[in-house]
Amino acid sequence: GEDVEQSLFLSVREGDSSVINCTYTDSSSTYLYWYKQEPGAGLQLLTYIFSNMDMKQDQRLTVLLNKKDKHLSLRIADTQTGDSAIYFCAEMTGANNLFFGTGTRLTVIP
Amino acid sequence: DTGVSQNPRHKITKRGQNVTFRCDPISEHNRLYWYRQTLGQGPEFLTYFQNEAQLEKSRLLSDRFSAERPKGSFSTLEIQRTEQGDSAMYLCASSWQETQYFGPGTRLLVL
């Protein structure tokens, strides 16, 4: 079955790098995603990675995937106060549904 | 295109009443999804459509929940005989291929 786990909280200082981690259990995952949610808002797609890749970079965002360990991470370089939000990891299986973790609340300290 | 839209954004109702939410997907997206998000949790998948066909509905929370997409464009989610436990954010997403784009959600409060 599907199970996606994330740590609940992360605090970093402005300008530092943030690393948000995620583990998942379904080895048949085809794509893995990172979404950002600000208070009272919907989910904003940040980036995603196909399961046969191990890294993807998009401006300040770097995604690393270790398929053997079923571990996904999101690194945000030069973290800004506007990056404070909840970050969700999600996996897509063959059924085209997304299964989400509980989210990591990132707090950026000025 | 302005993205996925949902109406209403907020709904307060009394226990036992029926509610209906609407989702307008990004035009030309053939897939439409409904999720529920409760406080402190990630979204939970409910159902999805490819065009007008509802391809997965086994995860709808009970037979009080139903969804339609009659012409393959907008969709509605109805909850009958609402209960206090139905209070949550209801999110809609649409996609053409592997990326799902979410709307702002409808926040439901059942008193």
Side-chain angles (χ1 to χ4, degrees):
Chain A
E2 309 87 3
D3 189 20
V4 179
E5 293 192 356
Q6 303 177 237
S7 53
L8 292 180
F9 303 100
L10 176 66
S11 291
V12 297
R13 292 208 172 272
E14 190 174 15
D16 289 349
S17 292
S18 308
V19 179
I20 303 171
N21 294 300
C22 169
T23 57
Y24 60 97
T25 56
D26 194 330
S27 58
S28 67
S29 296
T30 53
Y31 291 90
L32 295 130
Y33 302 80
W34 286 103
Y35 283 86
K36 174 184 179 183
Q37 188 175 38
E38 297 184 75
L43 278 72
Q44 175 193 349
L45 176 66
L46 291 177
T47 187
Y48 66 101
I49 189 167
F50 187 48
S51 59
N52 69 352
M53 298 171 63
D54 52 19
M55 177 178 155
K56 181 178 180 181
Q57 187 153 3
D58 184 0
Q59 300 182 333
R60 292 191 299 124
L61 305 179
T62 303
V63 178
L64 295 178
L65 174 60
N66 181 327
K67 195 170 182 181
K68 174 176 169 289
D69 294 338
K70 300 189 184 69
H71 182 268
L72 183 74
S73 68
L74 174 69
R75 178 177 180 268
I76 306 173
D78 186 26
T79 314
Q80 302 297 306
T81 54
D83 294 324
S84 292
I86 300 176
Y87 290 79
F88 290 97
C89 166
E91 61 173 343
M92 176 182 284
T93 64
N96 288 317
N97 312 329
L98 293 182
F99 292 94
F100 286 84
T102 53
T104 299
R105 181 180 295 275
L106 173 65
T107 301
V108 182
I109 304 163
Chain B
D1 196 332
T2 55
V4 179
S5 61
Q6 293 187 245
N7 287 288
R9 293 292 309 277
H10 303 273
K11 178 70 177 177
I12 301 174
T13 192
K14 292 183 179 178
R15 190 175 52 189
Q17 298 293 304
N18 299 344
V19 294
T20 300
F21 309 139
R22 176 177 169 129
C23 171
D24 287 88
I26 294 171
S27 56
E28 293 152 12
H29 279 188
N30 61 343
R31 292 179 184 160
L32 187 148
Y33 308 79
W34 285 99
Y35 292 82
R36 183 181 80 155
Q37 186 179 23
T38 53
L39 203 61
Q41 300 297 314
E44 173 189 13
F45 169 77
L46 296 178
T47 188
Y48 98 97
F49 295 85
Q50 180 155 314
N51 300 312
E52 64 274 11
Q54 191 172 11
L55 296 186
E56 174 61 67
K57 57 182 179 180
S58 64
R59 294 187 186 248
L60 284 168
L61 300 162
S62 78
D63 58 7
R64 297 184 297 107
F65 287 71
S66 63
E68 293 183 343
R69 194 183 184 199
K71 296 181 181 178
S73 57
F74 73 92
S75 175
T76 56
L77 177 70
E78 182 182 17
I79 309 174
Q80 296 183 326
R81 305 182 303 281
T82 52
E83 301 172 356
Q84 287 182 321
D86 297 332
S87 295
M89 174 84 90
Y90 290 84
L91 294 163
C92 174
S94 70
S95 73
W96 175 248
Q97 292 181 333
E98 70 276 2
T99 49
Q100 293 185 23
Y101 296 91
F102 282 79
T106 295
R107 186 171 293 283
L108 173 66
L109 178 61
V110 182
L111 301 176

